[in-house]
Amino acid sequence: MGFRVVLLGPPGCGKGTQAEKLNDDLGLIRLSTGDMLREAVRNGTELGKMAKTYMDSGGLVPDDVVIGLMKEKISTIKEGFVLDGFPRTVQQAEALDEFVDIQHVINFEVSDDELVKRLTSRRSCPDCNVVYHMIYKPPMKDGICDKCGATLYQRSDDTEETVRARLKVYRENTFPLIEYYDKKGILLNIDGEGSIMEIYDSIEEAL
Ligand code: AP5
């Protein structure tokens, strides 16, 4: 089994972007609860219908739902993996400890103003989940995913109002995980401001 890594940090800090690079370069399987939930919403499943109400307001989907989802996914994986967007509460972190040993937790530090700038100009691929930014990381062809050719879209929770609500939820529910993992001695703090490549280099060095 390869590395078992958690990416931690506020919305827009670059978890998805760096998870994609870790997948491309090190072959770590990327598991994103946000992507799984958005897929369920698109498919109109019972899970999707329930999750949508929380996601649209910037709130968190109930712990038992995401814990069940992640437990099932991780149980099928034999290789190394990177978790993007999970855990997000102390209860989720405690549940994760019961079913897998995490080796590294990488925490990205980025200012609120930069997060808002990143999220309000983000574009996402609905098929392969690659993310772009209209200024920082534009696709080669306007509105089209470089990787799979699908039409890019703007996430409904990427409006400034919902981003601010997500930041509040992050501070109340997810921020305590920094201390949780620091106490375990597996936390690596990384300056999340800088180019995508500079940040990736810091992650590789830290691993
Ligand atoms: P989720 O999809 O996990 O959203 P998030 O945590 O808010 O994170 P984002 O995907 O918005 O940002 P990111 O850190 O991945 O940044 P990215 O790389 O895209 O969750 C959505 C919702 O689902 C939640 O609100 C909740 O309702 C629900 N949910 C999910 N998980 C849950 C859980 N465990 N429990 C309960 N509910 C859950 O980058 C952002 C932008 O910046 C992009 O445009 C990118 O190109 C650009 N960028 C990245 N790095 C840089 C850089 N270094 N410089 C300049 N631009 C950059």
Side-chain angles (χ1 to χ4, degrees), residues 9-18 30 32-35 37-38 51 54-55 58-63 66 84-89 92 114 118-119 121-123 131-134 136-137 155 157-158 166 192-196 199:
C13 68
K15 300 182 295 294
T17 302
Q18 298 297 338
R30 174 183 170 200
S32 156
T33 33
D35 286 346
L37 293 169
R38 277 184 291 279
Y54 297 97
M55 296 170 84
L60 293 181
V61 174
D63 282 334
V66 281
D84 159 12
F86 182 91
R88 245 178 164 98
T89 63
Q92 291 178 21
E114 173 69 9
R118 288 186 187 180
L119 291 176
S121 294
R122 171 167 62 183
R123 294 294 179 271
V131 289
Y132 298 87
H133 188 278
M134 283 155 67
Y136 301 138
K137 190 194 168 199
R155 273 171 49 176
D157 59 350
D158 278 349
R166 285 158 64 198
E193 296 200 28
S195 75
I196 291 171
I199 294 161

Side-chain angles (χ1 to χ4, degrees), residues 52-72:
K52 190 174 179 342
T53 55
Y54 297 97
M55 296 170 84
D56 281 350
S57 65
L60 293 181
V61 174
D63 282 334
D64 56 335
V65 175
V66 281
I67 289 169
L69 194 64
M70 208 37 122
K71 192 171 178 180
E72 196 188 313

Side-chain angles (χ1 to χ4, degrees), residues 25-183:
D25 293 0
L26 303 183
L28 302 185
I29 308 284
R30 174 183 170 200
L31 296 174
S32 156
T33 33
D35 286 346
M36 291 172 204
L37 293 169
R38 277 184 291 279
E39 192 184 342
V41 171
R42 272 196 297 276
N43 292 337
T45 63
E46 285 309 311
L47 167 67
K49 282 180 204 155
M50 183 275 292
K52 190 174 179 342
T53 55
Y54 297 97
M55 296 170 84
D56 281 350
S57 65
L60 293 181
V61 174
D63 282 334
D64 56 335
V65 175
V66 281
I67 289 169
L69 194 64
M70 208 37 122
K71 192 171 178 180
E72 196 188 313
K73 286 281 175 191
I74 290 179
S75 70
T76 64
I77 292 184
K78 303 273 177 286
E79 310 92 324
F81 58 77
V82 51
L83 303 185
D84 159 12
F86 182 91
R88 245 178 164 98
T89 63
V90 170
Q91 199 185 329
Q92 291 178 21
E94 287 170 349
L96 181 64
D97 283 344
E98 282 171 23
F99 55 85
V100 75
D101 260 339
I102 294 298
Q103 296 165 302
H104 305 285
V105 176
I106 296 170
N107 178 48
F108 299 105
E109 295 166 322
V110 180
S111 71
D112 280 11
D113 285 348
E114 173 69 9
L115 295 170
V116 172
K117 247 190 264 172
R118 288 186 187 180
L119 291 176
T120 49
S121 294
R122 171 167 62 183
R123 294 294 179 271
S124 308
C125 177
D127 289 351
C128 68
N129 298 311
V130 172
V131 289
Y132 298 87
H133 188 278
M134 283 155 67
I135 297 156
Y136 301 138
K137 190 194 168 199
M140 285 186 283
K141 200 170 161 204
D142 198 23
I144 302 293
C145 178
D146 295 345
K147 206 164 188 173
C148 74
T151 301
L152 302 178
Y153 78 109
Q154 180 167 27
R155 273 171 49 176
S156 57
D157 59 350
D158 278 349
T159 59
E160 178 158 356
E161 192 191 353
T162 312
V163 168
R164 299 264 178 215
R166 285 158 64 198
L167 288 174
K168 188 164 178 280
V169 167
Y170 163 79
R171 273 189 285 274
E172 285 166 6
N173 298 277
T174 312
F175 190 78
L177 290 183
I178 296 175
E179 195 185 339
Y180 179 90
Y181 284 118
D182 195 23
K183 278 191 183 149

